[in-house]
Amino acid sequence: MTRGSGLHVGIDARVLGRRGVGRYLSNLLRAMAGQSGDWRATVFLSGQSRAELVPRDPRFEAVRFGDAHPAWIEQVLIPREAQRRGVQ
């Protein structure tokens, strides 16, 4: 993972690879990978997410939470990991 002084975003991509929002997320990640600049992204995935859709780009880091309860992931695990990883 590239560690710069730029923006560090977190993306809740637990539905990555599904229809609707999942397809939007896939396209968003692909478009982000095409952008230059000093930024990085931590992508939060569930056990059902299609991790292969996260771009193979050193600015992206995937964090998989497995099949924990969705509310637990959203309310506890994502905020904890976002803070631990320095997501802005």
Side-chain angles (χ1 to χ4, degrees):
M1 169 69 44
T2 303
R3 305 278 182 208
S5 60
L7 181 65
H8 183 183
V9 297
I11 301 170
D12 180 350
R14 291 175 289 153
V15 296
L16 184 62
R18 296 188 205 159
R19 293 173 48 183
V21 173
R23 179 169 289 161
Y24 171 82
L25 283 167
S26 177
N27 289 326
L28 175 67
L29 295 176
R30 189 172 330 123
M32 287 176 67
Q35 299 298 310
S36 61
D38 186 16
W39 60 269
R40 59 191 170 117
T42 298
V43 182
F44 300 108
L45 306 171
S46 71
Q48 303 301 313
S49 303
R50 292 195 39 212
E52 71 273 11
L53 296 176
V54 177
R56 297 186 195 284
D57 179 311
R59 296 174 295 180
F60 289 88
E61 177 183 20
V63 175
R64 187 179 284 278
F65 293 117
D67 291 321
H69 191 279
W72 182 254
I73 293 173
E74 179 181 301
Q75 299 297 315
V76 176
L77 298 180
I78 288 177
R80 183 184 330 171
E81 282 301 307
Q83 182 177 27
R84 188 174 83 71
R85 294 168 186 279
V87 170
Q88 295 167 305

mmCIF file of all heavy atoms in Angstrom, residues 9-60:
data_model
loop_
_atom_site.group_PDB
_atom_site.id
_atom_site.type_symbol
_atom_site.label_atom_id
_atom_site.label_comp_id
_atom_site.label_asym_id
_atom_site.label_seq_id
_atom_site.Cartn_x
_atom_site.Cartn_y
_atom_site.Cartn_z
ATOM 1 N N VAL A 9 -9.506 7.273 1.556
ATOM 2 C CA VAL A 9 -10.951 7.059 1.616
ATOM 3 C C VAL A 9 -11.269 5.620 1.994
ATOM 4 O O VAL A 9 -10.498 4.707 1.710
ATOM 5 C CB VAL A 9 -11.649 7.420 0.282
ATOM 6 C CG1 VAL A 9 -11.481 8.883 -0.040
ATOM 7 C CG2 VAL A 9 -11.144 6.561 -0.846
ATOM 8 N N GLY A 10 -12.391 5.442 2.629
ATOM 9 C CA GLY A 10 -12.919 4.118 2.932
ATOM 10 C C GLY A 10 -14.184 3.901 2.123
ATOM 11 O O GLY A 10 -15.000 4.820 1.982
ATOM 12 N N ILE A 11 -14.330 2.694 1.580
ATOM 13 C CA ILE A 11 -15.487 2.387 0.744
ATOM 14 C C ILE A 11 -16.162 1.133 1.276
ATOM 15 O O ILE A 11 -15.547 0.070 1.342
ATOM 16 C CB ILE A 11 -15.065 2.187 -0.725
ATOM 17 C CG1 ILE A 11 -14.394 3.452 -1.244
ATOM 18 C CG2 ILE A 11 -16.259 1.789 -1.582
ATOM 19 C CD1 ILE A 11 -13.718 3.299 -2.581
ATOM 20 N N ASP A 12 -17.423 1.259 1.656
ATOM 21 C CA ASP A 12 -18.217 0.113 2.087
ATOM 22 C C ASP A 12 -18.676 -0.600 0.819
ATOM 23 O O ASP A 12 -19.608 -0.169 0.150
ATOM 24 C CB ASP A 12 -19.405 0.588 2.924
ATOM 25 C CG ASP A 12 -20.278 -0.546 3.413
ATOM 26 O OD1 ASP A 12 -20.101 -1.700 2.967
ATOM 27 O OD2 ASP A 12 -21.159 -0.283 4.254
ATOM 28 N N ALA A 13 -17.993 -1.676 0.483
ATOM 29 C CA ALA A 13 -18.272 -2.398 -0.766
ATOM 30 C C ALA A 13 -18.791 -3.803 -0.473
ATOM 31 O O ALA A 13 -18.492 -4.746 -1.202
ATOM 32 C CB ALA A 13 -17.016 -2.437 -1.628
ATOM 33 N N ARG A 14 -19.572 -3.948 0.576
ATOM 34 C CA ARG A 14 -20.076 -5.269 0.933
ATOM 35 C C ARG A 14 -20.978 -5.867 -0.130
ATOM 36 O O ARG A 14 -21.141 -7.075 -0.190
ATOM 37 C CB ARG A 14 -20.810 -5.203 2.271
ATOM 38 C CG ARG A 14 -19.856 -4.936 3.433
ATOM 39 C CD ARG A 14 -20.589 -4.755 4.724
ATOM 40 N NE ARG A 14 -21.308 -3.480 4.704
ATOM 41 C CZ ARG A 14 -22.411 -3.238 5.400
ATOM 42 N NH1 ARG A 14 -22.939 -4.160 6.168
ATOM 43 N NH2 ARG A 14 -22.976 -2.050 5.338
ATOM 44 N N VAL A 15 -21.552 -5.048 -1.003
ATOM 45 C CA VAL A 15 -22.420 -5.558 -2.067
ATOM 46 C C VAL A 15 -21.689 -5.594 -3.417
ATOM 47 O O VAL A 15 -22.324 -5.783 -4.451
ATOM 48 C CB VAL A 15 -23.728 -4.740 -2.176
ATOM 49 C CG1 VAL A 15 -24.558 -4.875 -0.919
ATOM 50 C CG2 VAL A 15 -23.440 -3.293 -2.510
ATOM 51 N N LEU A 16 -20.374 -5.453 -3.398
ATOM 52 C CA LEU A 16 -19.587 -5.434 -4.636
ATOM 53 C C LEU A 16 -19.833 -6.712 -5.440
ATOM 54 O O LEU A 16 -19.678 -7.811 -4.941
ATOM 55 C CB LEU A 16 -18.101 -5.301 -4.312
ATOM 56 C CG LEU A 16 -17.157 -5.173 -5.505
ATOM 57 C CD1 LEU A 16 -17.463 -3.912 -6.309
ATOM 58 C CD2 LEU A 16 -15.714 -5.148 -5.028
ATOM 59 N N GLY A 17 -20.232 -6.526 -6.694
ATOM 60 C CA GLY A 17 -20.478 -7.645 -7.582
ATOM 61 C C GLY A 17 -21.943 -8.013 -7.726
ATOM 62 O O GLY A 17 -22.306 -8.801 -8.587
ATOM 63 N N ARG A 18 -22.789 -7.436 -6.902
ATOM 64 C CA ARG A 18 -24.225 -7.684 -7.043
ATOM 65 C C ARG A 18 -24.821 -6.670 -8.007
ATOM 66 O O ARG A 18 -24.169 -5.718 -8.408
ATOM 67 C CB ARG A 18 -24.913 -7.584 -5.682
ATOM 68 C CG ARG A 18 -24.445 -8.650 -4.723
ATOM 69 C CD ARG A 18 -25.290 -8.632 -3.482
ATOM 70 N NE ARG A 18 -24.549 -9.185 -2.370
ATOM 71 C CZ ARG A 18 -24.831 -8.961 -1.104
ATOM 72 N NH1 ARG A 18 -25.833 -8.174 -0.776
ATOM 73 N NH2 ARG A 18 -24.104 -9.502 -0.162
ATOM 74 N N ARG A 19 -26.072 -6.857 -8.338
ATOM 75 C CA ARG A 19 -26.755 -5.922 -9.234
ATOM 76 C C ARG A 19 -26.973 -4.594 -8.528
ATOM 77 O O ARG A 19 -26.871 -4.491 -7.318
ATOM 78 C CB ARG A 19 -28.090 -6.513 -9.653
ATOM 79 C CG ARG A 19 -27.916 -7.734 -10.516
ATOM 80 C CD ARG A 19 -29.213 -8.422 -10.812
ATOM 81 N NE ARG A 19 -30.229 -7.458 -11.245
ATOM 82 C CZ ARG A 19 -31.467 -7.780 -11.521
ATOM 83 N NH1 ARG A 19 -31.878 -9.001 -11.398
ATOM 84 N NH2 ARG A 19 -32.327 -6.865 -11.900
ATOM 85 N N GLY A 20 -27.272 -3.563 -9.290
ATOM 86 C CA GLY A 20 -27.596 -2.253 -8.724
ATOM 87 C C GLY A 20 -26.380 -1.565 -8.140
ATOM 88 O O GLY A 20 -25.415 -1.272 -8.842
ATOM 89 N N VAL A 21 -26.406 -1.311 -6.830
ATOM 90 C CA VAL A 21 -25.319 -0.607 -6.154
ATOM 91 C C VAL A 21 -24.010 -1.363 -6.301
ATOM 92 O O VAL A 21 -22.944 -0.764 -6.431
ATOM 93 C CB VAL A 21 -25.662 -0.367 -4.665
ATOM 94 C CG1 VAL A 21 -24.484 0.209 -3.919
ATOM 95 C CG2 VAL A 21 -26.863 0.560 -4.549
ATOM 96 N N GLY A 22 -24.065 -2.687 -6.315
ATOM 97 C CA GLY A 22 -22.850 -3.486 -6.489
ATOM 98 C C GLY A 22 -22.177 -3.228 -7.819
ATOM 99 O O GLY A 22 -20.948 -3.158 -7.913
ATOM 100 N N ARG A 23 -22.977 -3.072 -8.863
ATOM 101 C CA ARG A 23 -22.420 -2.761 -10.187
ATOM 102 C C ARG A 23 -21.868 -1.334 -10.195
ATOM 103 O O ARG A 23 -20.811 -1.069 -10.756
ATOM 104 C CB ARG A 23 -23.483 -2.915 -11.259
ATOM 105 C CG ARG A 23 -22.919 -2.571 -12.648
ATOM 106 C CD ARG A 23 -23.846 -2.947 -13.747
ATOM 107 N NE ARG A 23 -23.850 -4.399 -13.829
ATOM 108 C CZ ARG A 23 -24.806 -5.102 -14.417
ATOM 109 N NH1 ARG A 23 -25.815 -4.494 -14.982
ATOM 110 N NH2 ARG A 23 -24.749 -6.403 -14.460
ATOM 111 N N TYR A 24 -22.572 -0.422 -9.563
ATOM 112 C CA TYR A 24 -22.087 0.957 -9.448
ATOM 113 C C TYR A 24 -20.725 0.977 -8.755
ATOM 114 O O TYR A 24 -19.793 1.632 -9.206
ATOM 115 C CB TYR A 24 -23.089 1.819 -8.674
ATOM 116 C CG TYR A 24 -22.553 3.184 -8.343
ATOM 117 C CD1 TYR A 24 -22.588 4.209 -9.289
ATOM 118 C CD2 TYR A 24 -21.980 3.445 -7.109
ATOM 119 C CE1 TYR A 24 -22.071 5.466 -8.997
ATOM 120 C CE2 TYR A 24 -21.462 4.690 -6.810
ATOM 121 C CZ TYR A 24 -21.513 5.695 -7.752
ATOM 122 O OH TYR A 24 -20.985 6.928 -7.463
ATOM 123 N N LEU A 25 -20.592 0.245 -7.636
ATOM 124 C CA LEU A 25 -19.325 0.196 -6.914
ATOM 125 C C LEU A 25 -18.202 -0.351 -7.790
ATOM 126 O O LEU A 25 -17.081 0.146 -7.758
ATOM 127 C CB LEU A 25 -19.458 -0.660 -5.653
ATOM 128 C CG LEU A 25 -20.162 -0.016 -4.485
ATOM 129 C CD1 LEU A 25 -20.511 -1.068 -3.441
ATOM 130 C CD2 LEU A 25 -19.308 1.073 -3.886
ATOM 131 N N SER A 26 -18.489 -1.385 -8.551
ATOM 132 C CA SER A 26 -17.486 -1.959 -9.447
ATOM 133 C C SER A 26 -16.992 -0.916 -10.441
ATOM 134 O O SER A 26 -15.779 -0.764 -10.659
ATOM 135 C CB SER A 26 -18.082 -3.161 -10.186
ATOM 136 O OG SER A 26 -17.161 -3.682 -11.105
ATOM 137 N N ASN A 27 -17.914 -0.185 -11.028
ATOM 138 C CA ASN A 27 -17.541 0.863 -11.985
ATOM 139 C C ASN A 27 -16.812 2.017 -11.304
ATOM 140 O O ASN A 27 -15.873 2.581 -11.869
ATOM 141 C CB ASN A 27 -18.779 1.371 -12.728
ATOM 142 C CG ASN A 27 -19.313 0.350 -13.694
ATOM 143 O OD1 ASN A 27 -18.565 -0.411 -14.297
ATOM 144 N ND2 ASN A 27 -20.629 0.301 -13.838
ATOM 145 N N LEU A 28 -17.235 2.370 -10.087
ATOM 146 C CA LEU A 28 -16.573 3.427 -9.344
ATOM 147 C C LEU A 28 -15.121 3.061 -9.049
ATOM 148 O O LEU A 28 -14.213 3.867 -9.267
ATOM 149 C CB LEU A 28 -17.320 3.701 -8.034
ATOM 150 C CG LEU A 28 -16.662 4.710 -7.092
ATOM 151 C CD1 LEU A 28 -16.672 6.106 -7.703
ATOM 152 C CD2 LEU A 28 -17.371 4.710 -5.749
ATOM 153 N N LEU A 29 -14.884 1.835 -8.570
ATOM 154 C CA LEU A 29 -13.521 1.409 -8.269
ATOM 155 C C LEU A 29 -12.652 1.411 -9.525
ATOM 156 O O LEU A 29 -11.495 1.837 -9.492
ATOM 157 C CB LEU A 29 -13.528 0.022 -7.624
ATOM 158 C CG LEU A 29 -14.198 -0.076 -6.260
ATOM 159 C CD1 LEU A 29 -14.215 -1.524 -5.788
ATOM 160 C CD2 LEU A 29 -13.538 0.824 -5.240
ATOM 161 N N ARG A 30 -13.213 0.934 -10.624
ATOM 162 C CA ARG A 30 -12.466 0.924 -11.888
ATOM 163 C C ARG A 30 -12.120 2.354 -12.324
ATOM 164 O O ARG A 30 -11.003 2.633 -12.747
ATOM 165 C CB ARG A 30 -13.281 0.228 -12.967
ATOM 166 C CG ARG A 30 -12.496 -0.019 -14.243
ATOM 167 C CD ARG A 30 -13.219 -0.874 -15.259
ATOM 168 N NE ARG A 30 -14.129 -1.833 -14.660
ATOM 169 C CZ ARG A 30 -15.433 -1.897 -14.937
ATOM 170 N NH1 ARG A 30 -15.970 -1.082 -15.817
ATOM 171 N NH2 ARG A 30 -16.202 -2.782 -14.363
ATOM 172 N N ALA A 31 -13.075 3.273 -12.185
ATOM 173 C CA ALA A 31 -12.822 4.672 -12.560
ATOM 174 C C ALA A 31 -11.786 5.301 -11.635
ATOM 175 O O ALA A 31 -10.913 6.049 -12.089
ATOM 176 C CB ALA A 31 -14.123 5.471 -12.525
ATOM 177 N N MET A 32 -11.859 4.990 -10.348
ATOM 178 C CA MET A 32 -10.869 5.519 -9.408
ATOM 179 C C MET A 32 -9.467 5.047 -9.779
ATOM 180 O O MET A 32 -8.512 5.815 -9.713
ATOM 181 C CB MET A 32 -11.200 5.092 -7.980
ATOM 182 C CG MET A 32 -12.384 5.801 -7.381
ATOM 183 S SD MET A 32 -12.807 5.164 -5.739
ATOM 184 C CE MET A 32 -11.356 5.689 -4.802
ATOM 185 N N ALA A 33 -9.346 3.786 -10.161
ATOM 186 C CA ALA A 33 -8.032 3.234 -10.515
ATOM 187 C C ALA A 33 -7.430 3.964 -11.713
ATOM 188 O O ALA A 33 -6.210 4.028 -11.845
ATOM 189 C CB ALA A 33 -8.146 1.742 -10.804
ATOM 190 N N GLY A 34 -8.281 4.543 -12.550
ATOM 191 C CA GLY A 34 -7.805 5.274 -13.719
ATOM 192 C C GLY A 34 -7.381 6.698 -13.419
ATOM 193 O O GLY A 34 -6.907 7.409 -14.311
ATOM 194 N N GLN A 35 -7.553 7.134 -12.183
ATOM 195 C CA GLN A 35 -7.214 8.499 -11.795
ATOM 196 C C GLN A 35 -5.817 8.552 -11.194
ATOM 197 O O GLN A 35 -5.407 7.661 -10.466
ATOM 198 C CB GLN A 35 -8.215 9.033 -10.770
ATOM 199 C CG GLN A 35 -9.633 9.080 -11.270
ATOM 200 C CD GLN A 35 -9.790 9.996 -12.461
ATOM 201 O OE1 GLN A 35 -9.352 11.134 -12.436
ATOM 202 N NE2 GLN A 35 -10.398 9.487 -13.518
ATOM 203 N N SER A 36 -5.117 9.615 -11.495
ATOM 204 C CA SER A 36 -3.802 9.815 -10.882
ATOM 205 C C SER A 36 -3.991 10.588 -9.588
ATOM 206 O O SER A 36 -5.095 10.963 -9.224
ATOM 207 C CB SER A 36 -2.882 10.570 -11.839
ATOM 208 O OG SER A 36 -3.434 11.843 -12.120
ATOM 209 N N GLY A 37 -2.901 10.806 -8.903
ATOM 210 C CA GLY A 37 -2.966 11.610 -7.695
ATOM 211 C C GLY A 37 -2.503 10.850 -6.476
ATOM 212 O O GLY A 37 -2.299 9.637 -6.500
ATOM 213 N N ASP A 38 -2.360 11.595 -5.397
ATOM 214 C CA ASP A 38 -1.884 11.051 -4.136
ATOM 215 C C ASP A 38 -3.091 10.721 -3.268
ATOM 216 O O ASP A 38 -3.552 11.545 -2.485
ATOM 217 C CB ASP A 38 -0.961 12.062 -3.456
ATOM 218 C CG ASP A 38 -0.309 11.510 -2.211
ATOM 219 O OD1 ASP A 38 -0.317 10.278 -2.022
ATOM 220 O OD2 ASP A 38 0.202 12.316 -1.410
ATOM 221 N N TRP A 39 -3.632 9.540 -3.433
ATOM 222 C CA TRP A 39 -4.781 9.074 -2.680
ATOM 223 C C TRP A 39 -4.665 7.572 -2.520
ATOM 224 O O TRP A 39 -3.890 6.918 -3.202
ATOM 225 C CB TRP A 39 -6.100 9.425 -3.369
ATOM 226 C CG TRP A 39 -6.229 8.823 -4.738
ATOM 227 C CD1 TRP A 39 -5.854 9.392 -5.914
ATOM 228 C CD2 TRP A 39 -6.718 7.518 -5.061
ATOM 229 N NE1 TRP A 39 -6.092 8.528 -6.954
ATOM 230 C CE2 TRP A 39 -6.620 7.367 -6.450
ATOM 231 C CE3 TRP A 39 -7.235 6.468 -4.320
ATOM 232 C CZ2 TRP A 39 -7.025 6.212 -7.111
ATOM 233 C CZ3 TRP A 39 -7.632 5.318 -4.974
ATOM 234 C CH2 TRP A 39 -7.532 5.205 -6.353
ATOM 235 N N ARG A 40 -5.442 7.036 -1.612
ATOM 236 C CA ARG A 40 -5.541 5.590 -1.456
ATOM 237 C C ARG A 40 -6.926 5.254 -0.935
ATOM 238 O O ARG A 40 -7.629 6.134 -0.415
ATOM 239 C CB ARG A 40 -4.453 5.039 -0.546
ATOM 240 C CG ARG A 40 -4.440 5.591 0.838
ATOM 241 C CD ARG A 40 -3.162 5.165 1.565
ATOM 242 N NE ARG A 40 -3.025 5.874 2.817
ATOM 243 C CZ ARG A 40 -3.022 5.286 4.010
ATOM 244 N NH1 ARG A 40 -3.144 3.981 4.101
ATOM 245 N NH2 ARG A 40 -2.888 5.996 5.090
ATOM 246 N N ALA A 41 -7.308 3.997 -1.072
ATOM 247 C CA ALA A 41 -8.650 3.572 -0.673
ATOM 248 C C ALA A 41 -8.583 2.242 0.056
ATOM 249 O O ALA A 41 -7.904 1.319 -0.385
ATOM 250 C CB ALA A 41 -9.552 3.443 -1.897
ATOM 251 N N THR A 42 -9.302 2.172 1.151
ATOM 252 C CA THR A 42 -9.512 0.912 1.839
ATOM 253 C C THR A 42 -10.931 0.481 1.505
ATOM 254 O O THR A 42 -11.885 1.235 1.713
ATOM 255 C CB THR A 42 -9.328 1.068 3.362
ATOM 256 O OG1 THR A 42 -7.981 1.477 3.617
ATOM 257 C CG2 THR A 42 -9.587 -0.250 4.075
ATOM 258 N N VAL A 43 -11.050 -0.721 0.950
ATOM 259 C CA VAL A 43 -12.333 -1.234 0.479
ATOM 260 C C VAL A 43 -12.786 -2.335 1.441
ATOM 261 O O VAL A 43 -12.101 -3.339 1.603
ATOM 262 C CB VAL A 43 -12.194 -1.788 -0.959
ATOM 263 C CG1 VAL A 43 -13.534 -2.267 -1.475
ATOM 264 C CG2 VAL A 43 -11.602 -0.729 -1.884
ATOM 265 N N PHE A 44 -13.920 -2.123 2.075
ATOM 266 C CA PHE A 44 -14.439 -3.055 3.064
ATOM 267 C C PHE A 44 -15.403 -4.037 2.398
ATOM 268 O O PHE A 44 -16.375 -3.624 1.767
ATOM 269 C CB PHE A 44 -15.135 -2.299 4.191
ATOM 270 C CG PHE A 44 -14.213 -1.353 4.907
ATOM 271 C CD1 PHE A 44 -14.334 0.015 4.743
ATOM 272 C CD2 PHE A 44 -13.206 -1.834 5.730
ATOM 273 C CE1 PHE A 44 -13.486 0.892 5.397
ATOM 274 C CE2 PHE A 44 -12.342 -0.969 6.390
ATOM 275 C CZ PHE A 44 -12.481 0.393 6.219
ATOM 276 N N LEU A 45 -15.129 -5.328 2.555
ATOM 277 C CA LEU A 45 -15.876 -6.386 1.889
ATOM 278 C C LEU A 45 -16.493 -7.346 2.894
ATOM 279 O O LEU A 45 -15.960 -7.541 3.988
ATOM 280 C CB LEU A 45 -14.945 -7.182 0.974
ATOM 281 C CG LEU A 45 -14.137 -6.392 -0.056
ATOM 282 C CD1 LEU A 45 -13.108 -7.293 -0.711
ATOM 283 C CD2 LEU A 45 -15.051 -5.765 -1.084
ATOM 284 N N SER A 46 -17.588 -7.962 2.482
ATOM 285 C CA SER A 46 -18.176 -9.048 3.275
ATOM 286 C C SER A 46 -17.782 -10.369 2.616
ATOM 287 O O SER A 46 -17.117 -10.388 1.576
ATOM 288 C CB SER A 46 -19.702 -8.923 3.315
ATOM 289 O OG SER A 46 -20.259 -9.237 2.054
ATOM 290 N N GLY A 47 -18.243 -11.456 3.189
ATOM 291 C CA GLY A 47 -17.951 -12.766 2.614
ATOM 292 C C GLY A 47 -18.598 -12.974 1.261
ATOM 293 O O GLY A 47 -18.157 -13.808 0.475
ATOM 294 N N GLN A 48 -19.639 -12.214 0.959
ATOM 295 C CA GLN A 48 -20.351 -12.345 -0.308
ATOM 296 C C GLN A 48 -19.833 -11.409 -1.398
ATOM 297 O O GLN A 48 -20.247 -11.498 -2.548
ATOM 298 C CB GLN A 48 -21.847 -12.077 -0.097
ATOM 299 C CG GLN A 48 -22.485 -12.980 0.940
ATOM 300 C CD GLN A 48 -22.355 -14.439 0.581
ATOM 301 O OE1 GLN A 48 -22.613 -14.826 -0.545
ATOM 302 N NE2 GLN A 48 -21.924 -15.250 1.537
ATOM 303 N N SER A 49 -18.941 -10.500 -1.047
ATOM 304 C CA SER A 49 -18.403 -9.534 -2.015
ATOM 305 C C SER A 49 -17.497 -10.246 -3.015
ATOM 306 O O SER A 49 -16.813 -11.210 -2.673
ATOM 307 C CB SER A 49 -17.569 -8.462 -1.308
ATOM 308 O OG SER A 49 -18.313 -7.795 -0.332
ATOM 309 N N ARG A 50 -17.453 -9.739 -4.225
ATOM 310 C CA ARG A 50 -16.560 -10.286 -5.242
ATOM 311 C C ARG A 50 -15.240 -9.522 -5.181
ATOM 312 O O ARG A 50 -15.046 -8.510 -5.854
ATOM 313 C CB ARG A 50 -17.212 -10.184 -6.612
ATOM 314 C CG ARG A 50 -18.421 -11.118 -6.696
ATOM 315 C CD ARG A 50 -18.930 -11.387 -8.066
ATOM 316 N NE ARG A 50 -17.905 -11.546 -9.066
ATOM 317 C CZ ARG A 50 -18.067 -11.182 -10.340
ATOM 318 N NH1 ARG A 50 -19.204 -10.655 -10.730
ATOM 319 N NH2 ARG A 50 -17.096 -11.365 -11.206
ATOM 320 N N ALA A 51 -14.338 -10.022 -4.371
ATOM 321 C CA ALA A 51 -13.055 -9.363 -4.116
ATOM 322 C C ALA A 51 -12.235 -9.183 -5.382
ATOM 323 O O ALA A 51 -11.428 -8.256 -5.469
ATOM 324 C CB ALA A 51 -12.267 -10.149 -3.076
ATOM 325 N N GLU A 52 -12.432 -10.027 -6.369
ATOM 326 C CA GLU A 52 -11.661 -9.907 -7.614
ATOM 327 C C GLU A 52 -11.992 -8.634 -8.381
ATOM 328 O O GLU A 52 -11.257 -8.246 -9.295
ATOM 329 C CB GLU A 52 -11.875 -11.140 -8.509
ATOM 330 C CG GLU A 52 -13.247 -11.246 -9.145
ATOM 331 C CD GLU A 52 -14.299 -11.942 -8.282
ATOM 332 O OE1 GLU A 52 -14.058 -12.186 -7.092
ATOM 333 O OE2 GLU A 52 -15.378 -12.227 -8.837
ATOM 334 N N LEU A 53 -13.061 -7.939 -7.988
ATOM 335 C CA LEU A 53 -13.426 -6.673 -8.641
ATOM 336 C C LEU A 53 -12.695 -5.473 -8.043
ATOM 337 O O LEU A 53 -12.777 -4.372 -8.589
ATOM 338 C CB LEU A 53 -14.938 -6.460 -8.572
ATOM 339 C CG LEU A 53 -15.775 -7.497 -9.333
ATOM 340 C CD1 LEU A 53 -17.259 -7.250 -9.113
ATOM 341 C CD2 LEU A 53 -15.433 -7.493 -10.816
ATOM 342 N N VAL A 54 -11.986 -5.670 -6.938
ATOM 343 C CA VAL A 54 -11.155 -4.596 -6.391
ATOM 344 C C VAL A 54 -9.927 -4.486 -7.293
ATOM 345 O O VAL A 54 -9.241 -5.484 -7.535
ATOM 346 C CB VAL A 54 -10.725 -4.895 -4.933
ATOM 347 C CG1 VAL A 54 -9.801 -3.797 -4.414
ATOM 348 C CG2 VAL A 54 -11.952 -5.034 -4.038
ATOM 349 N N PRO A 55 -9.656 -3.306 -7.837
ATOM 350 C CA PRO A 55 -8.527 -3.160 -8.762
ATOM 351 C C PRO A 55 -7.200 -3.626 -8.151
ATOM 352 O O PRO A 55 -6.946 -3.429 -6.966
ATOM 353 C CB PRO A 55 -8.490 -1.650 -9.040
ATOM 354 C CG PRO A 55 -9.894 -1.199 -8.806
ATOM 355 C CD PRO A 55 -10.392 -2.051 -7.663
ATOM 356 N N ARG A 56 -6.399 -4.252 -8.968
ATOM 357 C CA ARG A 56 -5.053 -4.664 -8.552
ATOM 358 C C ARG A 56 -4.139 -3.454 -8.732
ATOM 359 O O ARG A 56 -3.421 -3.340 -9.707
ATOM 360 C CB ARG A 56 -4.570 -5.833 -9.394
ATOM 361 C CG ARG A 56 -5.412 -7.069 -9.220
ATOM 362 C CD ARG A 56 -4.820 -8.242 -9.956
ATOM 363 N NE ARG A 56 -5.729 -9.344 -10.104
ATOM 364 C CZ ARG A 56 -6.056 -10.196 -9.158
ATOM 365 N NH1 ARG A 56 -5.556 -10.039 -7.962
ATOM 366 N NH2 ARG A 56 -6.890 -11.184 -9.387
ATOM 367 N N ASP A 57 -4.224 -2.583 -7.776
ATOM 368 C CA ASP A 57 -3.533 -1.304 -7.790
ATOM 369 C C ASP A 57 -3.053 -1.090 -6.352
ATOM 370 O O ASP A 57 -3.826 -1.278 -5.415
ATOM 371 C CB ASP A 57 -4.538 -0.222 -8.213
ATOM 372 C CG ASP A 57 -3.976 1.175 -8.264
ATOM 373 O OD1 ASP A 57 -3.328 1.589 -7.280
ATOM 374 O OD2 ASP A 57 -4.231 1.875 -9.253
ATOM 375 N N PRO A 58 -1.809 -0.706 -6.155
ATOM 376 C CA PRO A 58 -1.296 -0.576 -4.788
ATOM 377 C C PRO A 58 -2.007 0.483 -3.945
ATOM 378 O O PRO A 58 -1.854 0.497 -2.731
ATOM 379 C CB PRO A 58 0.176 -0.227 -4.986
ATOM 380 C CG PRO A 58 0.295 0.255 -6.373
ATOM 381 C CD PRO A 58 -0.795 -0.408 -7.158
ATOM 382 N N ARG A 59 -2.807 1.327 -4.568
ATOM 383 C CA ARG A 59 -3.544 2.334 -3.804
ATOM 384 C C ARG A 59 -4.790 1.761 -3.153
ATOM 385 O O ARG A 59 -5.407 2.406 -2.319
ATOM 386 C CB ARG A 59 -3.905 3.508 -4.706
ATOM 387 C CG ARG A 59 -2.684 4.247 -5.227
ATOM 388 C CD ARG A 59 -3.058 5.291 -6.221
ATOM 389 N NE ARG A 59 -3.634 4.650 -7.405
ATOM 390 C CZ ARG A 59 -4.071 5.292 -8.481
ATOM 391 N NH1 ARG A 59 -4.006 6.611 -8.515
ATOM 392 N NH2 ARG A 59 -4.568 4.646 -9.505
ATOM 393 N N PHE A 60 -5.169 0.538 -3.534
ATOM 394 C CA PHE A 60 -6.356 -0.116 -2.981
ATOM 395 C C PHE A 60 -5.944 -1.206 -2.004
ATOM 396 O O PHE A 60 -5.054 -2.006 -2.287
ATOM 397 C CB PHE A 60 -7.191 -0.762 -4.096
ATOM 398 C CG PHE A 60 -7.897 0.213 -4.975
ATOM 399 C CD1 PHE A 60 -7.271 0.737 -6.094
ATOM 400 C CD2 PHE A 60 -9.194 0.613 -4.698
ATOM 401 C CE1 PHE A 60 -7.911 1.637 -6.919
ATOM 402 C CE2 PHE A 60 -9.848 1.517 -5.520
ATOM 403 C CZ PHE A 60 -9.203 2.031 -6.634
#
